[in-house]
Amino acid sequence: MQFETQVLSKEILFILECSGKTLSTAESCTSGKVAESITLIPGSSAYFTGAIVAYSEEVKKNLLKVPEELIEEKSVVSEEVAIKMADGVCELLGTDYAIATTGFAGPGGGTNDNPVGTIWIAAGKKGEMRTVKLTENDGRDVNVARATFRALQLLLDVLKEDFPMPDLREVPAPEAK
């Protein structure tokens, strides 16, 4: 999955660099792997401002401004918390786009409602986040790798909607002279 992640990161770089927009991440269960995947690509400093590894509830609440009531009502592993984390890091770091992850990568930590392998991902602009829920449990390393890949894929989907690029396969080739 590492090669595929690099391909996605390069596409994200191209779109964000061309558009002049910025990106940050707020990660819990992926422990900074999304940010690492982005910053391993040369040139990412043109658009990537930083990351918060919000492993504890206190960091989510105090730094990313996730309301304690929301965590109590929905749980820290929820769509709503992922959205608030992404909105919070956009605000905190002043970026146009963000990715957030929260979940139970394993081997422990799961609940009946959110078993190990449950991971919520949010990506987009502040107030306009898209989400995806992962539910497969193939062990911690695979769960984290899958979440990292899907987070980048989700952001790329958002960026392609916001900045449509022509499909070069559909552009007619110039006629030979």
Side-chain angles (χ1 to χ4, degrees):
M1 212 174 294
Q2 187 175 358
F3 174 75
E4 293 87 352
T5 300
Q6 288 178 335
V7 170
L8 292 175
S9 294
K10 286 180 181 179
E11 287 187 69
I12 290 167
L13 170 103
F14 178 75
I15 294 172
L16 288 175
E17 196 172 44
C18 289
S19 67
K21 301 296 181 184
T22 56
L23 173 67
S24 59
T25 64
E27 301 179 61
S28 184
C29 62
T30 50
S31 307
K33 293 290 186 189
V34 176
E36 178 186 43
S37 296
I38 291 165
T39 58
L40 285 175
I41 304 301
S44 59
S45 61
Y47 68 89
F48 188 75
T49 63
I52 303 295
V53 177
Y55 221 60
S56 73
E57 282 186 27
E58 286 70 33
V59 172
K60 290 175 182 74
K61 292 186 287 191
N62 298 331
L63 214 53
L64 298 175
K65 306 301 182 203
V66 177
E68 185 171 352
E69 306 77 40
L70 181 63
I71 292 173
E72 289 172 7
E73 179 186 340
K74 298 290 185 177
S75 123
V76 75
V77 179
S78 65
E79 179 180 33
E80 295 84 356
V81 168
I83 290 168
K84 288 292 186 187
M85 288 172 63
D87 282 343
V89 78
C90 274
E91 185 72 29
L92 181 67
L93 299 182
T95 57
D96 302 299
Y97 290 88
I99 297 171
T101 63
T102 185
F104 296 120
T111 66
N112 287 336
D113 292 335
N114 289 312
V116 171
T118 303
I119 299 172
W120 277 100
I121 302 165
K125 295 182 278 198
K126 186 172 184 212
E128 295 181 38
M129 295 294 167
R130 289 181 47 189
T131 60
V132 66
K133 180 182 182 182
L134 306 180
T135 58
E136 294 179 52
N137 179 18
D138 293 310
R140 184 178 187 81
D141 292 343
V142 174
N143 293 345
V144 170
R146 181 183 298 118
T148 300
F149 175 79
R150 291 288 286 133
L152 294 171
Q153 192 174 50
L154 182 61
L155 176 67
L156 186 58
D157 290 346
V158 168
L159 293 174
K160 285 181 174 181
E161 286 180 17
D162 288 356
F163 304 100
M165 306 294 266
D167 186 346
L168 296 178
R169 294 172 294 193
E170 296 176 7
V171 176
E175 293 184 28
K177 294 184 180 188

